[in-house]
Amino acid sequence: MQTHLTKRNLAITGLSLGLLAVLCFSPSLFGARVGEAVSGLGAAEPGLLWIAASAFAGMSLCSALAWWASLRASGSSMPASDAAARYAVGCGVNAIAPAHIGSALRIALFGRVTTGGCWTVSGAAAAVGVTRTVWLAS
């Protein structure tokens, strides 16, 4: 399997993480409402925040593994860590971009490594979506 860790990719990753750190340490750059929300975290109970963060991370991991399992069922030999990384990129884009652009990006990223391309990934997305709907409806 080909590695995609080039010097350019590592530089972009470092720059992105640096920008994220600047934004995290100065929430006032996002506006007054975000600054107020961050200042309100001091009154929150730390144990509940850790539980919420763990549940959020667990939900994201389970969603990534659902994608991985559905693509494995279609014959893809992608490792679970690769699926989790591709899913996380889609989540990150969804967090900052409108109109669920991250979902389309996720389909494109998964489509690059599957044998059926975007058609297979779209079927996997439909299967994951139907399963999620059934579980939420019950």
Side-chain angles (χ1 to χ4, degrees):
M1 180 175 240
Q2 176 185 347
T3 181
H4 296 287
L5 288 177
T6 63
K7 289 181 182 179
R8 179 177 177 259
N9 291 356
L10 291 175
I12 290 172
T13 301
L15 180 66
S16 300
L17 289 174
L19 179 62
L20 181 63
V22 166
L23 292 174
C24 286
F25 288 116
S26 57
S28 61
L29 293 175
F30 287 115
R33 291 187 69 176
V34 174
E36 290 175 21
V38 171
S39 66
L41 286 175
E45 192 172 327
L48 292 178
L49 288 176
W50 279 107
I51 290 170
S54 299
F56 180 76
M59 183 266 322
S60 296
L61 180 62
C62 286
S63 294
L65 291 176
W67 276 78
W68 175 71
S70 63
L71 290 172
R72 292 276 299 196
S74 70
S76 174
S77 62
M78 170 188 340
S81 60
D82 191 13
R86 291 170 193 274
Y87 185 83
V89 169
C91 288
V93 171
N94 272 340
I96 60 172
H100 285 279
I101 294 173
S103 298
L105 176 64
R106 191 178 296 134
I107 289 173
L109 288 173
F110 280 114
R112 295 179 73 186
V113 295
T114 58
T115 54
C118 288
W119 286 107
T120 301
V121 177
S122 297
V128 169
V130 167
T131 305
R132 184 178 295 151
T133 301
V134 168
W135 276 100
L136 289 175
S138 60

